[in-house]
Amino acid sequence: MSGVEGYMYPNEVTLYWSVLIVLYPYITGLVAGAFILASLERVFRVDAVKPIYRLALLTALAFLLDAPLPLQFHLGHPERSYEMYFTPHATSAMAMFGYVYMWYLMAVLVFEIWLDYRREIVLLSQQSKGLMRVIYKIMTLGSNNISERSLRIDEKVGWIVTLIGIPSAFLLHGYVGFIFGSLKSNPWWSSPLMPVVFIFSAMVSGIAAVMLIYMAVTKLRHQKIDMRCVDAVAMYMFYIFIIDFSLEMLDLVHRIYEADESFRSLDFMVHTKLYFSQIVLQIFIGTLVPLILLFLTQVGQFGEIARKRIYVLCGSLILIGVFAMRWNVVIGGQLFSKSFLGYTTYKMALVTREGLLAAIGLTILPLFFLWVLLKLLPPWPKKEMQEAAAGD
Amino acid sequence: MSGFKDVSHLFRFAGLFVIAFLVFLVVRVYVVPKSFGEYGHYRAAAIGEIAAHPIKFAGHQACESCHSDIADTKAKGAHAHVNCEACHGALATHANDPSSMTPVKPDTLVLCARCHTASAAKPKGFPQVNPADHMGGVPCQTCHNPHSPAIGSDTGKGAAAGGTK
Amino acid sequence: MNISRRQLLILLPAAAVAWKYVEAGTPEASPNYEMSEHWWGMLIDITKCIGCGNCVRACQKENDIPDGYFRTWVERYHRTDYHLENPEVISPDGGKEGFPSVPEGTQGDYFFVPKMCNHCSDSPCTQVCPVGATFISPDGVVLIDPKYCLGCAYCVQACPYGCRYIHPEKKVADKCTLCYHRITKGLTTACCEACPTGARQLADLKNPNDPIHAFLKTHTVQVLKPQMATGAKAFYNGLDGSVR
């Protein structure tokens, strides 16, 4: 019973949603955010973010491939997870996961990437050798047609897919927020704002992640960072961040003012067990500091190097802050007793299936996926390929 | 025909979906348990499986079917509504086959104290004693018959030992 | 001896039915049991509970519950006159071995509150199960299918009363079955069987002869957290407003 203060119902002493369930909304959030960023170029015709479009799509795909893994690791019986597809329970928010995930993965992301890359895939299937040739051949689905007209059609279809993709991205992540927001048993979660807050913080974190990945990858390739693009990305990140922050504050103010039966208990928790992760990490370091810095870049005149540094700092702080937000929601929601009479402690395991190492591994894994995707489908125009295409 | 040629690759992609969907439908027939949905969105067979869990507490009706003498003693006293296994523990094994095991007689010093040790938290009308002052280490059944605890009713070892036949 | 016992058992149909299946070694639901004829609930009389922990031990024994997990548990409330909303609550090891004595003359009111699954008729736990592994049986008992449960723990989060846990070995959700294997054979639950004061009474709301109906006519009962609107069927007599 160690780690318990006050009174917990005896079955509440152990936390059943671990750090992996923190990771899961975090990663789906990055997916949604990255996709929204890509759609800026495609649907809203923001030319400045063009250099980042394909990278954003591939980042979204890499993280989406990783997203179900924390859930699988967390399940007591992962071998039964197919039941979610075969007998989904209509009243369960969680049951929708399988379908929303599959829809988003196949009908939106993979389809859009395939349409966008089809020309390259066909060319690569003709130019490369050995195993790579086979892989690209399969990816063409047996069609080598890259005529002007077919590519124009692809462009139009891709636009429609992106258009469908935006609500899909909202759905994917909004539903994650709904999983928490719809539980009347838990006053820390139960809020209609939860899905909305999740979506906006997801967008901010996804944009930050793509921005950082773009800057890092460009640096590794010894190329010049397109500042017009990064400035535009940072601007959008700033605006969405303001919305996100306003919503979170609205939620907070509402809770404080309404002060229902759970308030004293939750208020105490925020000032003690969650003080560091909520007040310090999430609100101060993860929100106020990057907001102020981003505000300064919007109103002030900074040199290129200074802006880059500010963006890298802000991006990193935002990623930490949004992770802290997910942590505070998931873990915070289980630290207090539903009797409002006590608190328990989350003891993170190290090497178990739901431990810290698994969490770190699952955080790094999408970067590996991304590396493979970048090798397979380079998002930047290759000189040789363009020449080959010209001579085709 | 050339008009279709330029969109044919889209149909190939759509074809993947159709194939996947058909495979899903076929697999579904085999994977979903037979009784699923019989009463609602769950496996109806689970109800029977849960009901098949073995019993450990025989229930006082089973005890009384053999130990009717004790049941008679008990019925007259304050413990009339205390079921046998509340004190003697789960005894389905014994009830099932009396020769398979002989229940151990509970230690009244421990057993009685569990309920009757005085505490201001207990309901006011409930009989409570301070074990140390009350009997100073003498087993409760020396004076009380646990089956009918009022002193003078049917006191002593003989009565408490009933039910051995 | 066996024969005479059997003859006696014939006089006690409820026990007889149970017996047949216990003896068969592979007990199954009673063939005479009709799910449509019952709607189960529980009556818990706080004014009678002495906090002995018999119910907790009986439940753990009957249902093979691992240590530290509880399908039922007993809480002791201490409500002082100055902090009506802020009672002091303890439940050492679920109240399994009883509670420390309280000396006479202590300020405030003490009472025991046995807790268990409320077998809600609008249960939030079955609502959220993604696959249909937990459900309300046709006779009103909230059950878990251990062969179908994923162990996602969503239902654990959804229960406002803290009645569910993940079984440490089976890795599936677990909770009170209202001794479904007993009540379908005409027996009462293990906790009711072991309760020395009758603080717990199994109640069949569909049975017009069940004593619950007479009790409800003459007593004011309450359910836990009525604001949760779960349709809880564990009725409490003498429930103090400070209980949560």
Side-chain angles (χ1 to χ4, degrees):
Chain A
M1 292 292 246
S2 61
V4 176
E5 295 162 40
Y7 177 68
M8 298 291 286
Y9 296 136
N11 296 327
E12 281 182 329
V13 175
T14 317
L15 274 70
Y16 291 110
W17 280 0
S18 65
V19 64
L20 293 189
I21 304 296
V22 178
L23 210 53
Y24 159 67
Y26 185 61
I27 286 171
T28 51
L30 295 178
V31 176
F35 184 83
I36 299 287
L37 181 59
S39 65
L40 273 181
E41 194 272 335
R42 196 75 189 251
V43 175
F44 302 106
R45 307 283 174 206
V46 181
D47 269 348
V49 299
K50 208 174 187 106
I52 225 167
Y53 167 69
R54 284 182 155 186
L55 183 66
L57 279 185
L58 294 181
T59 307
L61 181 58
F63 279 95
L64 192 63
L65 290 174
D66 186 55
L69 296 180
L71 289 186
Q72 289 294 325
F73 272 68
H74 155 75
L75 286 183
H77 286 274
E79 79 282 3
R80 295 178 185 169
S81 55
Y82 69 88
E83 291 167 3
M84 284 231 203
Y85 287 100
F86 292 110
T87 58
H89 193 197
T91 62
S92 170
M94 198 182 271
M96 294 320 293
F97 172 73
Y99 286 97
V100 174
Y101 177 82
M102 270 315 210
W103 165 262
Y104 193 73
L105 177 70
M106 294 311 294
V108 175
L109 261 184
V110 170
F111 191 38
E112 179 167 346
I113 290 172
W114 185 70
L115 287 173
D116 199 65
Y117 273 96
R118 219 171 54 78
R119 185 171 155 275
E120 275 98 330
I121 292 171
V122 171
L123 292 177
L124 282 165
S125 75
Q126 289 157 358
Q127 291 163 6
S128 31
K129 297 184 173 55
L131 179 67
M132 291 310 286
R133 191 184 176 88
V134 179
I135 292 174
Y136 285 122
K137 275 275 180 220
I138 294 170
M139 284 165 70
T140 62
L141 298 181
S143 165
N144 285 333
N145 183 4
I146 47 170
S147 66
E148 281 281 316
R149 186 165 173 269
S150 72
L151 291 179
R152 257 204 328 275
I153 291 170
D154 284 356
E155 175 69 24
K156 273 198 190 123
V157 174
W159 185 82
I160 295 169
V161 170
T162 317
L163 204 61
I164 298 167
I166 295 172
S168 301
F170 274 62
L171 184 66
L172 177 74
H173 206 63
Y175 118 87
V176 178
F178 188 79
I179 281 186
F180 296 98
S182 61
L183 285 189
K184 63 181 167 189
S185 62
N186 191 320
W188 185 241
W189 292 342
S190 173
S191 161
L193 273 182
M194 198 60 106
V196 192
V197 169
F198 261 61
I199 287 168
F200 277 92
S201 55
M203 285 200 267
V204 178
S205 65
I207 293 172
V210 174
M211 185 184 77
L212 289 176
I213 288 171
Y214 170 70
M215 291 169 96
V217 169
T218 315
K219 199 103 187 161
L220 288 174
R221 291 176 59 237
H222 305 293
Q223 301 285 318
K224 201 176 166 332
I225 291 172
D226 184 338
M227 281 314 282
R228 186 169 156 258
C229 168
V230 180
D231 283 336
V233 169
M235 183 186 75
Y236 283 105
M237 188 163 75
F238 174 62
Y239 290 146
I240 297 171
F241 206 6
I242 289 177
I243 301 175
D244 175 43
F245 183 61
S246 316
L247 287 170
E248 286 187 30
M249 285 307 108
L250 173 62
D251 188 52
L252 193 66
V253 169
H254 184 87
R255 282 169 187 277
I256 295 172
Y257 193 81
E258 210 179 45
D260 67 8
E261 57 167 352
S262 65
F263 178 68
R264 264 205 291 187
S265 177
L266 299 182
D267 187 52
F268 183 78
M269 178 175 77
V270 169
H271 285 93
T272 52
K273 298 223 170 223
L274 284 188
Y275 185 79
F276 180 72
S277 60
Q278 175 108 2
I279 309 272
V280 177
L281 273 187
Q282 184 189 331
I283 295 182
F284 190 73
I285 294 178
T287 305
L288 289 178
V289 172
L291 257 185
I292 292 167
L293 287 175
L294 284 174
F295 174 73
L296 291 177
T297 61
Q298 296 300 309
V299 294
Q301 299 286 327
F302 290 93
E304 201 176 304
I305 295 172
R307 290 213 306 284
K308 272 187 210 163
R309 285 186 181 156
I310 292 176
Y311 292 154
V312 170
L313 178 66
C314 286
S316 311
L317 291 181
I318 286 171
L319 286 182
I320 294 170
V322 173
F323 184 81
M325 182 264 186
R326 309 294 192 239
W327 175 279
N328 295 326
V329 169
V330 176
I331 303 296
Q334 302 170 83
L335 288 182
F336 68 93
S337 171
K338 286 171 188 151
S339 68
F340 309 133
L341 294 169
Y343 308 88
T344 187
T345 310
Y346 174 47
K347 298 183 199 90
M348 191 170 8
L350 191 63
V351 284
T352 59
R353 203 172 58 166
E354 290 196 60
L356 181 64
L357 289 183
I360 293 172
L362 290 171
T363 317
I364 295 171
L365 193 61
L367 297 178
F368 170 74
F369 288 154
L370 183 62
W371 177 76
V372 172
L373 285 171
L374 290 178
K375 287 278 169 217
L376 199 61
L377 302 167
W380 32 80
K382 263 195 184 158
K383 278 217 174 90
E384 326 84 77
M385 215 163 74
Q386 278 183 325
E387 279 157 17
D392 207 31
Chain B
M1 228 21 230
S2 71
F4 176 74
K5 199 176 140 235
D6 286 334
V7 292
S8 71
H9 61 280
L10 298 177
F11 283 92
R12 285 169 190 265
F13 196 92
L16 286 182
F17 271 76
V18 174
I19 292 168
F21 186 65
L22 291 177
V23 169
F24 172 81
L25 287 183
V26 172
V27 174
R28 192 173 188 280
V29 172
Y30 291 99
V31 170
V32 174
K34 290 283 165 293
S35 68
F36 202 95
E38 202 178 314
Y39 298 121
H41 191 83
Y42 56 92
R43 209 167 56 89
I47 297 180
E49 288 167 23
I50 293 165
H53 185 85
I55 286 168
K56 303 240 174 79
F57 281 81
H60 62 98
Q61 304 96 324
C63 310
E64 287 157 6
S65 64
C66 291
H67 303 284
S68 50
D69 50 338
I70 303 289
D72 291 342
T73 313
K74 215 159 73 66
K76 292 174 209 141
H79 283 171
H81 297 293
V82 180
N83 294 328
C84 314
E85 286 160 305
C87 300
H88 293 278
L91 286 171
T93 329
H94 171 75
N96 185 24
D97 179 5
S99 58
S100 70
M101 73 163 290
T102 312
V104 181
K105 283 236 170 64
D107 177 0
T108 49
L109 276 177
V110 177
L111 180 77
C112 304
R114 215 194 278 283
C115 291
H116 292 289
T117 301
S119 170
K122 287 178 181 166
K124 291 296 158 284
F126 188 77
Q128 305 166 45
V129 296
N130 185 336
D133 306 345
H134 184 72
M135 79 314 203
V138 181
C140 309
Q141 81 264 35
T142 316
C143 307
H144 301 275
N145 173 2
H147 292 133
S148 182
I151 287 181
S153 58
D154 180 12
T155 323
K157 273 188 182 160
T164 43
K165 56 182 159 177
Chain C
M1 175 144 171
N2 255 335
I3 297 158
S4 76
R5 198 190 77 230
R6 267 172 209 217
Q7 285 169 336
L8 276 163
L9 280 176
I10 290 163
L11 302 170
L12 297 151
V17 171
W19 234 235
K20 212 168 123 204
Y21 290 96
V22 173
E23 281 190 322
T26 50
E28 38 185 80
S30 159
N32 301 327
Y33 182 80
E34 281 295 332
M35 285 191 287
S36 57
E37 288 170 7
H38 306 272
W39 192 249
W40 296 106
M42 183 71 95
L43 182 64
I44 297 174
D45 195 339
I46 288 176
T47 62
K48 283 185 179 171
C49 183
I50 57 170
C52 63
N54 257 14
C55 50
V56 183
R57 289 194 307 279
C59 176
Q60 300 212 321
K61 172 90 181 163
E62 177 76 22
N63 298 296
D64 307 307
I65 310 300
D67 272 349
Y69 298 84
F70 300 91
R71 285 188 179 188
T72 185
W73 69 96
V74 181
E75 298 168 351
R76 191 185 76 192
Y77 273 68
H78 178 206
R79 176 185 33 68
T80 63
D81 302 348
Y82 295 97
H83 300 284
L84 295 178
E85 268 185 39
N86 229 352
E88 181 205 328
V89 183
I90 60 166
S91 181
D93 201 11
K96 194 176 164 185
E97 299 300 334
F99 292 81
S101 278
V102 177
E104 270 309 321
T106 318
Q107 196 264 335
D109 189 21
Y110 285 88
F111 49 89
F112 299 99
V113 185
K115 294 270 186 89
M116 57 181 283
C117 172
N118 291 265
H119 295 281
C120 308
S121 49
D122 298 313
S123 57
C125 53
T126 60
Q127 182 189 28
V128 301
C129 176
V131 297
T134 182
F135 53 89
I136 304 175
S137 69
D139 38 1
V141 182
V142 178
L143 295 173
I144 296 166
D145 180 350
K147 288 189 186 156
Y148 213 65
C149 173
L150 300 173
C152 72
Y154 198 14
C155 57
V156 179
Q157 310 290 359
C159 174
Y161 311 100
C163 295
R164 288 174 171 247
Y165 55 88
I166 297 293
H167 194 286
E169 283 119 45
K170 296 179 191 162
K171 306 283 180 205
V172 294
D174 198 55
K175 67 158 199 70
C176 164
T177 61
L178 205 64
C179 281
Y180 197 73
H181 60 293
R182 300 175 60 87
I183 62 175
T184 48
K185 289 161 196 147
L187 296 169
T188 189
T189 66
C191 56
C192 291
E193 186 68 38
C195 178
T197 63
R200 289 169 175 256
Q201 298 284 334
L202 177 70
D204 183 357
L205 299 166
K206 260 193 191 172
N207 176 2
N209 301 322
D210 195 292
I212 177 99
H213 301 295
F215 191 91
L216 292 179
K217 269 203 177 96
T218 49
H219 294 76
T220 48
V221 295
Q222 181 58 289
V223 293
L224 295 173
K225 300 192 184 182
Q227 75 277 16
M228 286 290 160
T230 56
K233 290 201 267 72
F235 303 102
Y236 283 83
N237 182 47
L239 188 72
D240 189 84
S242 63
V243 176
R244 282 185 287 224

